Every structure is written in C-alpha cells, then in structure tokens.
Amino acid sequence: MERVVSLCKRRGFIFQSAEIYGGFRSTYDYGPLGVNLLRNVKNAWWEAMVQRRVDVVGLDAAVLSPPAVWEASGHLSNFTDPLVDCLSCHQRWREDKIDGACPNCGSTEFTEARAFNLLFETHAGPLEDEGTVAYLRPETAQGMFVNFANVLQTTRKRPPFGIAQVGKSFRNEITPQNFVFRTREFEQMEMEYFVPPGEADRWFKYWLDERYRWYTDLGIPTEQLRLRHHDRDELSHYSVATADVEFNFPWGWDELEGIANRSDFDLKAHSAASGEKLEYFDQTGGEPYVPWVIEPAAGATRAMMAFLLSAYREDEVGGEARTVLKLHPRLAPYQVAVLPLSRKEALEGLSNDVLDRLVPHFACDYDVTQSIGKRYRRQDEVGTPWCVTVDFDSLEDRRVTVRDRDSTEQVRLDLDAVAGELSRRMGRL
Ligand code: GAP
C-alpha cells in the first residue's frame, strides 16, 4: 500500500489537495497520469454500460439539489453513521469500523453512539436561512429517479431499460481513510435498471455476473475479487437484496461496488412526495405499473485504486530490479511512449513523424531524457504497455523497435506498420 501511494505521488497520479498549504485532510487531486487513468476507468465503464447497449441511456444531473429530493429518498433521516468519541483521547470514530478499541490509543471506553448525518449541506444564493438549504448529492442515483418520467417520455424506452450516470458525489465521512478508498469527495458510476416487478430477481443475478466480469476483463485476477451477499440486517433502507463486489485490499476484503435490488422504493417515494406519476404504461395494453430497480453502484476513484493495487509488481529484468504497473492497456495512462535514442535533430524529426501516426489512435507520451534503459523503467513504472524506440538505423530503414512492457520482448517493425500492430494487440485483449 505505501509503495503504491508513494508511486502515485512521485509519478503524478494523485496529489494531496492544497498541499502547499499543508494539505486538506483526506482530499486528493488527480495529476497528469491519474486523470488519464481515472478517465479510462470511467470510459471503460461507460462503454460497457451505455455505449454498447441499446437498453441503457446516459444522464448528467446536477450536483446541487433541494432538500425535497433527500427527504423523499430517505437520506435526511436514514443516511447516518454511528459516531462515538473515545473517552480517553477524544478522537471520533465510526462505531461499526473500530472493533471495540480506539485505533488511536487502544481505550475501550466510548460515549454512547449518536447518529451522524453524512449529507453536505450548503445554501443556494446569498441568504443563509432555512429556505435556501441545498445539498451536495451523496450519490448520483437520485438524479436518475427524479428524471425517470423525463427519460421515459423523451426516449420511448420500455422496461427493462437503464439510466446511467458518472459523476462526483459528496459524503461528510466521519473517518475518511485508506488513501482514495474512502474520501469526502469522490466519483461514482451508477446505473438504475428499471424492470417489470416479476423480473427483478433474474436481472439482479444478471447484473452481479456482468459487473464481476467487468473487473476481471480489465485485469483484476479472480483471486482478488469476490461477490458477497449482504445479510438481512445489513441491507440499506431501500434494498430487498444487495451483493457487493469486494476486492482484497491490503487491509482485507472490502467493497468496490454494491449491486442492489431496490424494489419500487425510490419511484414510489418520489411519486408520493412530488405528486407526479412515476410508472410505466404500456400503450399496447396492460395495467400501468411501477418498475423495480436493479442498481449496480460503483466508485470510480475506488475502482482506480483497486486497478493500481492489483497491477503493482516488483520484478527483475536482466538482473535489474524494476517496478512495473501491469495495467490493462485500455486503462494505462499512456498506451505508447515514443523514445528517440538521442536528441539529434534527425532522430527527433522522425520520432515526431511516428508520434503523428500514433496520436490519433493512442494516448502517447514522448520522452528524450536520460538513457534508453532508464526511460524504459520510467514507462514500466507508470504502466505504459508499449515503447517505440527510434534509433540511427531507423533513419536508414524506417524501422523502429517496439518493446512490450510485460514480456520486455522487442520487435523491429516498419514505421508504417506500428499503429496497425498495436491496434491488433489492443484488439486481442
Ligand atoms: N446509490 C447507491 C450507493 O451510493 P454505496 O454503496 O453507498 O451505494 C456505491 O456507494 C459505491 O460508491 C461504493 O461501492 C464505493 O465504490 C463508492 N463510494 C461510496 N462512498 C465512498 C467514499 N466515501 N469514498 C470513495 N468511494 C465511495
């Protein structure tokens, strides 16, 4: 864990927020490499969940929302964690996360637990009175429920169909911890899949399989991933069944994503509170009904951390130690690095030519500093799957060396063939 955190800082994946002012606790900024990786995670999710499906459409709802939404959803009354104070060192903890002893001083004496609401409250406009209260959304899901009728009318979808969204959510977590695993500001990738009530069980199982496979397809080994069904007493107020996709983090198995059967709880709650009919009516006959919802709810920032942890390796190449991120090429911040052997003008000219052919297809880096061996190590460390080296022979024969990150195997290719060969390698994955 420490090594991955240190790599993230050193190589520009993740920085402490407001670091020059001493840092803002448990808040992070995504640097040049992190923003690429995070974007690739979100794109891979969007592609699998929206782009490749005709039964799912996208949405981008507002982060700021009025209290009515969170009143109806149950968040104003139920979205709480049990907060206790250690009677010895006065640190505050989430009671359900500490196993009876204070993680700071070991004391077992605490105050009574009180319910702490995690919603971030703010005021919209210049007046700070009760009428201007607004909330930063703690999940993207409610945006999909309150837009159910809009989406139904404008897309003419019929159940089973889904509405998907990727975006920031905010929770005033009592104990944000484990780097970007639990933060107060984070990104979610959620999809609400509306189904006829009698089909809910089938779709719940379907989405468990789909979501598990999404992580393994992107390189997380099955030994590090499991599905865990919630016991009845663990279920959220809206859920009739939930299973988590869990990853084996350095501190043990923990949640990556929750897949819930939310029944008709949300549509009924918003319908009752708003007075709007939120149901599906099949024009070709049949009774109107309120669809049930199956929700795969993932964290983008948390998934990015799991991809980093599972990709991190220390191995040896030619008797030399190296650090390598074996990220799936679709997720890697850069897919290709173009490396001219030296700063000679002719080599840089040809290298730019190579770069021009690759940038329409791949995220590329370009590096001319230090020895070629050191540059390979630097690219390995940030997970770049392929390096393309342009040397003096390249000027004569217009062939370049393509090096593979995982096998370190090198092949010599005509520079016209490089983009095609790398696309072929990507396509095979
Ligand atoms: N709409 C349902 C929902 O929000 P959740 O289990 O509370 O369910 C879904 O959140 C996912 O969002 C989690 O599995 C996790 O990946 C991510 N997540 C939740 N709280 C988070 C936090 N404080 N920091 C980072 N990710 C978080």
Side-chain angles (χ1 to χ4, degrees):
M1 175 82 171
E2 293 73 33
R3 290 179 195 188
V4 171
V5 173
S6 134
L7 172 70
C8 282
K9 165 100 213 281
R10 185 159 37 84
R11 298 305 312 274
F13 281 88
I14 300 175
F15 304 124
Q16 173 82 64
S17 204
E19 199 177 2
I20 60 169
Y21 293 104
F24 189 40
R25 204 180 142 239
S26 299
T27 309
Y28 296 93
D29 297 341
Y30 292 79
L33 295 183
V35 77
N36 280 9
L37 174 55
L38 184 57
R39 191 164 291 224
N40 291 343
V41 170
K42 292 185 285 184
N43 285 347
W45 187 91
W46 194 263
E47 189 185 314
M49 301 295 281
V50 185
Q51 212 171 304
R52 285 177 182 249
R53 306 189 62 107
V54 289
D55 57 344
V56 181
V57 293
L59 182 79
D60 193 359
V63 166
L64 279 177
S65 38
V69 171
W70 307 108
E71 183 75 58
S73 70
H75 282 77
L76 278 170
S77 43
N78 291 318
F79 198 50
T80 58
D81 277 338
L83 171 71
V84 291
D85 293 354
C86 170
L87 287 177
S88 174
C89 71
H90 307 294
Q91 290 261 1
R92 295 196 150 158
W93 304 105
R94 244 177 89 171
E95 189 193 33
D96 55 330
K97 293 281 175 196
I98 54 173
D99 276 340
C102 173
N104 186 45
C105 72
S107 163
T108 52
E109 305 281 326
F110 294 97
T111 57
E112 284 291 310
R114 41 202 197 283
F116 174 75
N117 194 291
L118 304 186
L119 286 173
F120 264 108
E121 189 178 306
T122 185
H123 290 268
L127 289 179
E128 290 208 0
D129 61 28
E130 225 179 88
T132 63
V133 168
Y135 293 97
L136 301 187
R137 65 179 178 197
E139 61 172 16
T140 61
Q142 298 304 322
M144 270 83 89
F145 300 130
V146 299
N147 279 292
F148 173 77
N150 284 336
V151 173
L152 205 60
Q153 275 155 24
T154 52
T155 64
R156 309 186 71 77
K157 293 280 173 209
R158 47 188 301 183
F161 81 97
I163 311 178
Q165 179 168 203
V166 172
K168 290 241 172 165
S169 294
F170 301 82
R171 296 181 189 181
N172 198 3
E173 299 280 359
I174 298 169
T175 43
Q177 61 189 347
N178 291 326
F179 199 36
V180 297
F181 177 82
R182 182 175 297 110
T183 48
R184 296 195 170 109
E185 174 177 346
F186 55 97
E187 277 197 88
Q188 287 188 308
M189 310 183 287
E190 298 194 289
M191 198 268 285
E192 310 304 323
Y193 201 67
F194 301 94
V195 302
E199 296 179 17
D201 286 346
R202 176 162 77 78
W203 285 110
F204 179 62
K205 289 191 194 82
Y206 169 87
W207 283 110
L208 290 187
D209 293 344
E210 284 292 302
R211 295 305 307 147
Y212 184 90
R213 205 176 56 232
W214 184 77
Y215 293 99
T216 55
D217 281 354
L218 288 170
I220 298 192
T222 51
E223 314 83 79
Q224 284 182 289
L225 209 60
R226 72 177 188 192
L227 279 171
R228 188 184 66 80
H229 287 263
H230 282 208
D231 290 333
R232 201 164 270 281
D233 60 355
E234 264 184 275
L235 296 175
S236 311
H237 62 279
Y238 51 74
S239 168
V240 296
T242 297
D244 289 342
V245 179
E246 292 191 335
F247 177 75
N248 196 2
F249 284 95
W251 58 91
W253 291 100
D254 217 332
E255 176 184 341
L256 259 189
E257 163 162 358
I259 296 127
N261 176 347
R262 300 180 69 120
S263 71
D264 53 8
F265 176 89
D266 307 274
L267 291 182
K268 277 197 169 152
H270 284 299
S271 186
S274 67
E276 293 286 327
K277 267 198 180 147
L278 300 177
E279 55 189 26
Y280 177 70
F281 177 52
D282 191 340
Q283 309 287 342
T284 60
E287 290 292 305
Y289 68 89
V290 180
W292 279 38
V293 171
I294 308 302
E295 175 197 65
T301 36
R302 201 177 273 189
M304 167 177 164
M305 182 169 167
F307 285 121
L308 278 169
L309 287 164
S310 78
Y312 184 91
R313 307 272 197 296
E314 289 170 3
D315 63 9
E316 240 183 49
V317 171
E320 248 190 73
R322 76 162 176 169
T323 300
V324 57
L325 279 185
K326 294 199 170 179
L327 286 169
H328 191 287
R330 289 194 51 198
L331 299 182
Y334 295 119
Q335 281 135 9
V336 188
V338 175
L339 312 173
L341 196 64
S342 88
R343 279 179 183 276
K344 284 272 176 338
E345 208 179 316
L347 278 190
E348 287 221 58
L350 187 61
S351 300
N352 277 308
D353 210 27
V354 174
L355 204 53
D356 286 344
R357 289 159 197 254
L358 295 175
V359 285
H361 313 286
F362 305 102
C364 296
D365 191 17
Y366 181 83
D367 188 6
V368 282
T369 59
Q370 296 191 306
S371 75
I372 198 72
K374 284 211 171 107
R375 281 183 270 165
Y376 284 155
R377 294 291 167 279
R378 273 213 300 272
Q379 295 298 335
D380 288 345
E381 198 181 42
V382 299
T384 310
W386 300 293
C387 289
V388 176
T389 305
V390 181
D391 58 26
F392 291 100
D393 289 340
S394 310
L395 295 174
E396 306 300 322
D397 61 9
R398 295 183 68 77
R399 288 164 83 81
V400 292
T401 302
V402 175
R403 173 190 180 268
D404 184 271
R405 172 196 74 197
D406 298 343
S407 64
T408 72
E409 200 176 88
Q410 304 192 6
V411 291
R412 198 89 185 141
L413 290 181
D414 192 287
L415 66 84
D416 291 323
V418 176
E421 166 60 15
L422 296 185
S423 296
R424 204 174 54 74
R425 290 188 193 183
M426 285 277 283
R428 276 207 308 256
L429 297 163

